[in-house]
Amino acid sequence: GQNIDQPTEMTATEGAIVQINCTYQTSGFNGLFWYQQHAGEAPTFLSYNVLDGLEEKGRFSSFLSRSKGYSYLLLKELQMKDSASYLCAVLPNDYKLSFGAGTTVTVRA
Amino acid sequence: DTGVSQDPRHKITKRGQNVTFRCDPISEHNRLYWYRQTLGQGPEFLTYFQNEAQLEKSRLLSDRFSAERPKGSFSTLEIQRTEQGDSAMYLCASSLVVSASANEQFFGPGTRLTVL
């Protein structure tokens, strides 16, 4: 099976920066995704990394180190609407997307 | 709105009843996936289709579960003789895969099933 670990909860203040770490052990690797999911809603795509390094997209950045089996999602200039669950998902050799349990981020005023 | 729709959005049923959910993917997408998500967990893969062919089923999918995608467009997921443990959010996703590469999956809003 696949093993994907991420913290359960994080809390940060509006305007601050939060980094959500994800470590994985999978049977092969074909890319890592980050999704955002608000309560009761579907996951929405944030980022995709397949090569090592940092991908920046506005206030959100995602980093990947394949040799370490490690990724992080960086949320900058936090806004109240960023309060959500953030899901790390890895595409292993069988191409069946495998999700972590999600990190609930709470943004406080 | 990602362009993937699911119906119904909510379903409450009694134990032992059969239920059927529908998913309409983004029209040009050739792959369609079904996931199950329980509270506090990430989505778990159930099955997926490439066009109308069902390529894989998770061991989570017991004999009571069946999925179809008859014309390679919409898909249905049926659960027979529902059990309380089937209560979950059932998510559908679609993607366009043109080679053996990773592609973003677009998720529908989900069907929340409650089995009493």
Side-chain angles (χ1 to χ4, degrees):
Chain A
Q2 322 300 340
N3 192 24
I4 299 169
D5 289 317
Q6 51 183 129
T8 304
E9 294 180 333
M10 300 184 76
T11 301
T13 307
E14 199 173 12
I17 298 173
V18 69
Q19 178 174 314
I20 306 170
N21 297 324
C22 172
T23 58
Y24 62 89
Q25 291 177 301
T26 56
S27 304
F29 181 82
N30 291 288
L32 185 145
F33 295 81
W34 284 96
Y35 281 83
Q36 181 192 58
Q37 187 175 29
H38 285 100
E41 297 182 11
T44 54
F45 171 82
L46 289 178
S47 68
Y48 168 63
N49 295 68
V50 66
L51 299 176
D52 290 350
L54 187 68
E55 295 279 342
E56 296 187 81
K57 191 185 293 185
R59 295 187 299 112
F60 294 178
S61 304
S62 56
F63 171 84
L64 175 68
S65 169
R66 288 172 297 170
S67 62
K68 295 181 180 178
Y70 167 70
S71 172
Y72 69 72
L73 179 69
L74 195 69
L75 314 180
K76 293 179 280 190
E77 300 168 20
L78 279 173
Q79 302 174 8
M80 299 299 287
K81 67 178 182 180
D82 296 330
S83 292
S85 179
Y86 292 85
L87 299 163
C88 174
V90 176
L91 203 64
N93 277 345
D94 59 11
Y95 283 89
K96 293 184 293 186
L97 201 58
S98 187
F99 285 85
T103 298
T104 300
V105 172
T106 302
V107 180
R108 293 184 174 167
Chain B
D1 184 0
T2 63
V4 180
S5 61
Q6 291 187 245
D7 182 69
R9 295 291 305 275
H10 302 273
K11 179 71 178 178
I12 300 175
T13 189
K14 292 182 179 178
R15 188 161 50 97
Q17 299 295 304
N18 299 343
V19 294
T20 300
F21 310 142
R22 176 179 169 125
C23 170
D24 285 88
I26 294 172
S27 59
E28 64 268 24
H29 283 187
N30 52 3
R31 281 211 180 158
L32 186 149
Y33 309 80
W34 284 100
Y35 294 87
R36 180 172 67 188
Q37 186 176 25
T38 54
L39 199 62
Q41 299 298 316
E44 295 175 292
F45 169 84
L46 292 179
T47 188
Y48 82 101
F49 293 82
Q50 174 91 7
N51 300 313
E52 65 274 10
Q54 187 173 15
L55 297 188
E56 187 124 14
K57 289 174 63 172
S58 163
R59 66 180 184 278
L60 294 173
L61 225 59
S62 74
D63 291 343
R64 298 184 296 106
F65 288 71
S66 62
E68 294 182 344
R69 195 183 183 196
K71 297 180 181 178
S73 56
F74 74 92
S75 175
T76 57
L77 178 69
E78 181 183 16
I79 309 174
Q80 296 181 325
R81 304 180 303 281
T82 52
E83 302 172 355
Q84 288 184 324
D86 297 332
S87 295
M89 175 76 88
Y90 290 84
L91 293 165
C92 173
S94 71
S95 67
L96 178 63
V97 177
V98 294
S99 64
S101 62
N103 293 86
E104 176 191 348
Q105 294 182 22
F106 294 81
F107 283 83
T111 295
R112 180 166 295 284
L113 172 66
T114 302
V115 182
L116 302 176

